[in-house]
Amino acid sequence: MNAGPDYVAQANPPLRKLVPYDPGHDLPAIRRQFVGHTLAELGSNENPWGPSPQVLERFARLDASTLLRYPDPLGLDLRRALAAQLGVSSDEIVLGNGSHELLMLLAQAFAGPGDPVVFSEFGFAVFPISTATMGATPVRVPALPVDHPTAPRGHDLDAIAAAVTTETKLVFIANPNNPTGTWFSRTALADFLAKIPSHVPVVVDEAYQEYVTDPDVASAIDLRARFPNVIVTRTFSKAYGLAGLRVGYLVAAADCCNVLNRVRESFNVNGIALALAEAALADQAHVASVRAHTQAQIAVLSREIRGLDQFVHPSQTNFVLVDFGREAAPIEAKLLAQGAVVRPMKGYGLPTCLRINNGTEADDAHLLHCLKEALR
Ligand SMILES: Cc1ncc(COP(=O)(O)O)c(C=O)c1O
């Protein structure tokens, strides 16, 4: 038998060395291992309460036609519902199979080989991946110092603005950011945008925006009138409790959406997802309740972990980044052995840190118990 293609060598040049997204542990295997034992899954920033009951009711009413027919390629009902809620036009919305897909499409649409794409150190992992996939040149801006009073390891907006040139093809920022949990105010964001050349698209990833309780923070959607180069990505995976459904959306100028629709797979969001995301959007009381419960639990988690003498980054999200001041892998291994799944941060260049999201109160109690044991 001959050897066949050398697929790695024959892959498009940018893909030959690409390190793919790390989705964390093999959770199905861990679940099998822990059958009959307590397992707290706190590594993927999911919402432990899940979606609104209205989503489950809608799910129960779906019939076979949702499966046998292709979904609406335009996702018009969901886009109209989003447009009405956000005060934008439905032409300014693109739906994605998760916002991850949209971040990839943005690089595909606007960054080519060698083009500079600017993002922060410790920014969301998909920013460098989408950049690398296109063979674009990452311009990674050092994060704020760890002793920064409000945003340790957060985005240094002044430095990011200074790194942007007229040649920059795309800027990625996240507010709040994963994995740091840090955020910036509406004023800081507006000051930043005022420094960016108006032809350079700035992507503001707002995957965690529904969790924000700080009144000084606002969505960049409202800044689009002043800054038409702003592109906002959002998701149903976090506060809406629908990570398994895979629905995200983006708000941008209609021309930008038009270009993205040229590369978007026509049926990228399936029919079940379209129907259920619409039901989720209609229940904002559920989102408000998730936000309130999350804020309360994140406050307790932060206080308890600080009580164990560990550094907890401030967070406006459903997770905390904890710096143990020493290699975190052995602590993580001990947590996992006891049935507490958290996210190692070595891949982010933070080997002394672990990222932990809030679960149910029982999950959080289990985590804290396991952590005390692990630190002993
Ligand atoms: C900052 C940020 N952006 C985007 C995503 C992608 O989410 P999804 O593809 O589920 O919409 C995540 C997921 O963890 C995230 O943390």
Side-chain angles (χ1 to χ4, degrees), residues 58-101:
R58 184 74 190 85
F59 191 36
R61 282 191 287 110
L62 290 175
D63 61 26
S65 70
T66 313
L67 299 176
L68 82 93
R69 301 288 175 205
Y70 279 98
D72 174 7
L74 303 175
L76 208 51
D77 288 345
L78 178 58
R79 279 173 44 225
R80 284 190 179 133
L82 282 164
Q85 196 219 35
L86 301 169
V88 304
S89 152
S90 57
D91 295 343
E92 297 174 309
I93 296 177
V94 181
L95 303 178
N97 192 264
S99 56
H100 186 144
E101 181 190 35

Side-chain angles (χ1 to χ4, degrees), residues 21 98-100 103 124 174 178 205 207-208 235 237-238 246-248:
Y21 180 72
S99 56
H100 186 144
L103 296 170
F124 181 47
N178 172 20
D205 178 333
Y208 300 92
T235 184
S237 299
K238 306 299 176 186
R246 311 306 302 130
V247 193

